[in-house]
Amino acid sequence: MVLPVIVMLAALMLYLGRASVVSVGCQDAAANAARALMVQGSGSGSQAMAQAAAGDGARIEVRPAGIGFEVIAHCAVVADPWGIVPRMVTGRAHGIWQERL
């Protein structure tokens, strides 16, 4: 009688752990994309450059923000059967356009 409860709790812990790992990876993808944009500059293809820096597992948005920009990475998480773990996590990073001399 206790075994099914223990199995469910163990499975839930595994799903939550995986969601945490994806969340950290998504934040890293946003930071990598922002870093690539700061180095490359605000030219054409900046969205593609950000996506390439983030990797295949993330969907990237780049938005202007004052004198800089905001990079938002959306990453999918494997859904658990109970619907407790979010299906999508978001990572954000900000950058300031650098002037070139």
Side-chain angles (χ1 to χ4, degrees):
M1 195 157 131
V2 176
L3 185 62
V5 173
I6 292 173
V7 169
M8 283 180 52
L9 286 175
L12 183 60
M13 286 176 49
L14 288 173
Y15 280 110
L16 287 172
R18 179 67 185 146
S20 297
V21 168
V22 170
S23 180
V24 169
C26 198
Q27 183 61 44
D28 287 344
N32 288 341
R35 188 177 307 108
L37 286 175
M38 283 191 291
V39 169
Q40 186 251 353
S42 63
S44 62
S46 60
Q47 180 80 24
M49 171 72 88
Q51 184 65 53
D56 295 334
R59 184 173 54 88
I60 299 294
E61 294 177 47
V62 179
R63 297 180 182 169
I67 62 169
F69 57 92
E70 177 182 29
V71 177
I72 304 169
H74 303 278
C75 305
V77 178
V78 176
D80 65 302
W82 308 286
I84 297 172
V85 176
R87 297 187 189 279
M88 186 75 64
V89 293
T90 303
R92 294 178 186 268
H94 297 271
I96 297 174
W97 297 119
Q98 302 293 316
E99 291 185 28
R100 301 205 184 235
L101 298 175

